[in-house]
Amino acid sequence: MTEFDLGFDPDAYDAVIYDLDGTLVRLTVDWNVVAEDVLAVYTEHAVKPPSDRLWDLLEAAPEYGIADAVEAAIAAHEHDGARESRRLAVADALSTDRASRTGVCSLNAEEACRIALRAHGIDDRVSAIVGRDTIGTYKPDPEPLRATIEALSADPKRSIFVGDSDRDARTARRAGVEFARVNPTAARHDGGDDGGDGGDGDDD
């Protein structure tokens, strides 16, 4: 298998961190349905939703004491979507030889990341995974990316974050880490529709 051309030499960095959905794989998730289920959680708890946007609803959930219920609703879809996910060509850049210097930092739940990587037989090519629920904060907050780099015992100044979205770019900028953007349309293995990410067009 020919290794995907990232546009840079991974061996030139202490650590290479990848986004998950839209970069390494495409989760099979209808984010509009996820948002509807999260809105249903608000209704069940007699809470007026502050927005109909998924990540706004997630961010507001702790204020109303429904964070766990909202997280569970989202994660259930992500777990199923990870099992049915489609591998993207960027995943070909992962290597067991570089596993100790490779991580995943995602807006998806950590377990969804693990399920997706296992589903495509590439979990042995990654040594650190930080998801939305791993450290209590999520992208574009820089802390998840910093935590991923720290888990790899790497220097942020000698690390690079690979992603497909503006959210990923902001995360890298805030963390003081170099960023490389990949085009999910160009990177996919097949001609299927890549759809949207994360329910609001600003993916993980």
Side-chain angles (χ1 to χ4, degrees):
M1 181 180 293
T2 301
E3 185 172 297
F4 181 81
D5 183 7
L6 292 167
F8 64 87
D9 180 7
D11 291 325
Y13 295 87
D14 287 352
V16 181
I17 316 300
Y18 295 86
D19 166 53
L20 183 77
D21 189 22
T23 300
L24 295 176
V25 305
R26 173 69 67 198
L27 300 188
T28 304
V29 175
D30 185 331
W31 294 104
N32 291 324
V33 173
V34 180
E36 290 172 3
D37 284 357
V38 170
L39 286 169
V41 171
Y42 273 77
T43 299
E44 290 166 7
H45 289 81
V47 176
K48 182 180 180 180
S51 167
D52 60 359
R53 293 168 61 90
L54 179 58
W55 303 118
D56 291 343
L57 295 169
L58 174 66
E59 184 175 353
E63 178 182 349
Y64 303 108
I66 57 174
D68 289 346
V70 167
E71 174 60 37
I74 299 172
H77 284 276
E78 290 178 330
H79 293 176
D80 290 342
R83 295 184 184 95
E84 301 298 325
S85 61
R86 181 158 49 87
R87 174 172 167 155
L88 300 179
V90 178
D92 294 347
L94 300 183
S95 165
T96 54
D97 293 339
R98 292 193 292 267
S100 64
R101 297 184 288 117
T102 302
V104 167
C105 179
S106 175
L107 183 59
N108 302 118
E110 180 181 335
E111 183 59 21
C113 298
R114 296 187 182 280
I115 291 170
L117 295 174
R118 287 196 300 267
H120 296 287
I122 53 177
D123 53 312
D124 62 343
R125 304 178 194 183
V126 173
S127 293
I129 300 173
V130 174
R132 177 181 66 246
D133 53 347
T134 304
I135 65 168
T137 186
Y138 47 86
K139 302 185 302 182
D141 188 302
E143 290 309 312
L145 180 55
R146 290 172 178 159
T148 313
I149 294 170
E150 182 178 356
L152 295 171
S153 300
D155 182 350
K157 297 184 184 304
R158 292 187 51 78
S159 301
I160 188 168
F161 184 37
V162 182
D164 68 311
S165 71
D166 291 343
R167 182 189 294 267
D168 293 328
R170 287 200 303 275
T171 302
R173 184 172 64 252
R174 291 173 179 178
V177 174
E178 187 175 343
F179 179 67
R181 185 186 294 267
V182 295
N183 183 328
T185 301
R188 67 194 181 199
H189 271 304
D190 58 53
D193 179 16
D194 275 300
D197 288 294
D200 62 2
D202 196 14
D203 68 346
D204 67 335

